[in-house]
Amino acid sequence: MNITSGLKSPMIEANRILVIGCPGSGKSTLATRLSRALDLDYISMDRDFYWQPGWRKRPRDEIDRLIARAVAEERWIMDGTGLSSFHLRLPRADAVIWLRLPRYACLYGAVSRAFRYFGRNRPEGPAGCPERLSLGALAYIWNFERDAAPLIEAALRDHVAGIAEHGPNVPVLQLKSRRQMRELLDLLGRPA
């Protein structure tokens, strides 16, 4: 898929964008660059909602409260797949960018990130949560297209069907390579 100038308008006009995809696909990197390019507040689901120092997960009701408060804002870009909160995030999104890179690219992204930041916090990561990589995380990445992608497709399909009666379609842009991510940033006039 080539990114065309027809996509420029929906992205520039979007006030609330979700960036979803497999771990290691580049969600945080793309979202931070787009936040600067489009002057949107950057929200990291891991940092802002899920994790407390020491990789302690917040209680679900607290996560949902934090997400509901964040999506009520007028201008943001949020990275993170989090299927359990789609019901809070999708209704407020003007656009969805789904990073659907090949398995090997996501594995490479996760492993290289782990080596780059091992034992330290990533800039966009939660405070007090040094970078780590587990076999469970690698297995999740390996099986993402088989296990998680159909659930994402169903959630997006259900959401689009539900809003068809109530308002305009929310564009879902699928990017399948890092090159396409660079093309999107170039299209918006920002370097990759």
Side-chain angles (χ1 to χ4, degrees):
M1 158 178 59
N2 284 332
I3 296 176
T4 64
S5 60
L7 295 173
K8 187 174 185 176
S9 180
M11 285 300 129
I12 288 177
E13 293 170 6
N15 287 317
R16 295 173 299 276
I17 302 172
L18 294 179
V19 180
I20 63 174
C22 182
S25 62
K27 296 181 300 295
S28 299
T29 301
L30 182 64
T32 37
R33 290 178 180 165
L34 286 173
S35 76
R36 289 191 298 264
L38 301 173
D39 193 32
L40 297 172
D41 290 334
Y42 169 66
I43 301 169
S44 163
M45 289 190 64
D46 283 345
R47 179 193 66 206
D48 299 325
F49 308 138
Y50 287 122
W51 300 108
Q52 298 178 81
W55 290 105
R56 291 179 299 113
K57 194 167 187 175
R58 283 190 169 92
R60 181 79 244 171
D61 61 329
E62 184 180 347
I63 291 169
D64 287 348
R65 267 196 315 277
L66 291 169
I67 291 172
R69 190 175 345 164
V71 299
E73 297 297 324
E74 287 304 312
R75 294 183 47 78
W76 46 260
I77 185 165
M78 183 181 300
D79 81 64
T81 302
L83 284 163
S84 62
S85 65
F86 266 18
H87 70 286
L88 297 170
R89 297 181 299 134
L90 280 174
R92 291 286 296 155
D94 297 325
V96 177
I97 300 173
W98 184 359
L99 303 184
R100 254 187 127 166
L101 279 64
R103 173 189 295 162
Y104 72 85
C106 295
L107 287 167
Y108 176 80
V111 170
S112 64
R113 177 180 65 207
F115 278 118
R116 188 172 336 122
Y117 294 106
F118 189 78
R120 300 179 295 133
N121 279 49
R122 286 188 285 146
E124 73 283 354
C129 296
E131 187 63 24
R132 63 185 186 179
L133 187 61
S134 67
L135 286 177
L138 293 173
Y140 180 76
I141 293 168
W142 185 263
N143 295 311
F144 188 86
E145 277 298 314
R146 183 193 73 198
D147 297 342
L151 300 174
I152 294 169
E153 288 170 342
L156 292 172
R157 190 173 43 251
D158 291 349
H159 177 68
V160 168
I163 64 168
E165 301 172 15
H166 308 293
N169 246 347
V170 174
V172 177
L173 174 61
Q174 288 190 39
L175 301 178
K176 297 189 176 187
S177 70
R178 298 197 193 283
R179 187 183 110 251
Q180 288 182 339
M181 288 188 262
R182 285 190 299 274
E183 288 175 1
L184 176 61
L185 290 164
D186 290 345
L187 184 66
L188 296 173
R190 304 300 190 271

